[in-house]
Amino acid sequence: MEGIRLQKYMAACGVASRRKAELLINEGRVAVNGAVITGQGHSVRDGDVVTVDGRIITPEKNKVYILLNKPRGVVSTANDESGRKTVLDFVKGAQERLYPVGRLDYNTSGLIMLTNDGGFTKYMTHPSHNVGKTYTVTADRDVSAADIARLADGIDIGGYTTAKAGVSYLERDNKRTIKITIFEGRNRQVRRMMEALDYGVRSLRRTCIGNICDNDLREGEWRNLSSDEIRGLGYDIEQRP
Ligand code: URA
């Protein structure tokens, strides 16, 4: 095998642009199989060990970002001890090892993302990034306008008061079904918000994550997210760990 130029290999490892890689080489900070390389034009072959400042570098994996419309009755963890169906069962064709971004309850349907990019998961699950999640909730009775205002203002769900949320009726003539957008993600948060006002939840579906909604995705279907959609969530897809 011919190998690839050292600076190209370094760029594929996400260490630096090719230009910056050349500088690192000139500065004597790069070694191949223990030998410091100072001139340009060196090639890396299969099995070579490349270090920068003494740390081994390896090519980055292909990053994958998937949007799945999870049906009810599916767990959103990667494994389930009792053998129930998991979100990973739907994306078996994917080459990479994926894991879910956050959680969606067993009895909740709707959008969940899967990725192999740990930085993305960290970003999406951190409340300071304010990525809204929108749910359609059908209650066991009509929801009053006063309760819509209470849910929107913040409500005690057992020792924690929820942050402000976007809450409205979904349709004009149906007071049982409401739309809730929250910017945080406490365990079973939407159900607990409804329970705090004595409503039972007949069904719960996550319809949007940020501005990505489920319009074209049927339950059990998935698709790749585009780079623009990822950037639209505020995540810098080019960022390096
Ligand atoms: N809120 C819930 O109660 N359940 C979910 O799955 C997501 C948000």
Side-chain angles (χ1 to χ4, degrees):
M1 176 204 152
E2 273 302 291
I4 64 166
R5 300 275 286 220
L6 180 54
Q7 56 270 53
K8 187 171 176 188
Y9 180 84
M10 289 169 68
C13 293
V15 172
S17 64
R18 282 198 217 180
R19 193 66 186 257
K20 175 109 189 291
E22 283 172 11
L23 291 176
L24 291 171
I25 295 167
N26 286 343
E27 288 165 6
R29 294 165 64 183
V30 183
V32 178
N33 303 326
V36 173
I37 309 293
T38 45
Q40 305 298 324
H42 190 92
S43 285
V44 178
R45 294 182 173 74
D46 252 357
D48 281 350
V49 175
V50 179
T51 54
V52 176
D53 295 334
R55 292 196 12 218
I56 296 176
I57 58 169
T58 48
E60 292 208 318
K61 291 177 291 185
N62 218 358
K63 289 193 177 150
V64 177
Y65 307 88
I66 280 175
L67 182 70
L68 168 72
N69 190 346
K70 179 184 103 61
R72 268 190 82 193
V74 172
V75 288
S76 62
T77 46
N79 296 300
D80 184 57
E81 281 173 3
S82 35
R84 292 176 297 182
K85 202 165 185 164
T86 81
V87 285
L88 294 186
D89 291 329
F90 290 88
V91 294
K92 285 220 163 107
Q95 302 287 309
E96 323 290 334
R97 190 180 158 79
L98 301 172
Y99 41 90
V101 178
R103 292 199 324 226
L104 204 54
D105 292 345
Y106 182 74
N107 283 324
T108 305
S109 61
L111 299 185
I112 184 162
M113 292 174 177
L114 303 162
T115 188
N116 59 353
D117 179 354
F120 181 64
T121 303
K122 207 163 155 193
Y123 174 85
M124 289 297 291
T125 50
H126 201 283
S128 70
H129 293 127
N130 273 345
V131 179
K133 289 175 202 98
T134 301
Y135 297 85
T136 295
V137 190
T138 301
D140 58 353
R141 61 192 165 91
D142 286 357
V143 182
S144 68
D147 284 343
I148 297 257
R150 285 190 190 105
L151 290 165
D153 275 352
I155 192 157
D156 185 347
I157 55 170
Y160 173 76
T161 302
T162 57
K164 290 210 180 312
V167 188
S168 60
Y169 294 114
L170 189 68
E171 301 149 338
R172 222 172 209 247
D173 301 319
N174 172 8
K175 292 195 161 24
R176 266 194 183 209
T177 302
I178 63 172
K179 185 170 136 178
I180 301 189
T181 302
I182 56 173
F183 300 88
E184 50 188 351
R186 300 269 155 168
N187 190 27
R188 296 183 64 252
Q189 179 163 337
V190 175
R191 288 177 200 274
R192 285 162 67 199
M193 288 167 75
M194 298 300 286
E195 283 158 14
L197 295 173
D198 285 331
Y199 293 98
V201 171
R202 288 271 185 265
S203 85
L204 181 60
R205 184 158 61 91
R206 180 147 80 195
T207 55
C208 301
I209 299 174
N211 53 11
I212 300 171
C213 299
D214 65 355
N215 308 338
D216 299 323
L217 215 51
R218 278 183 298 208
E219 281 193 7
E221 283 185 347
W222 61 272
R223 67 174 176 82
N224 286 102
L225 290 164
S226 69
S227 312
D228 280 350
E229 284 177 315
I230 309 265
R231 281 193 208 98
L233 294 165
Y235 181 67
D236 177 4
I237 205 166
E238 303 300 342
Q239 80 186 358
R240 302 293 179 214

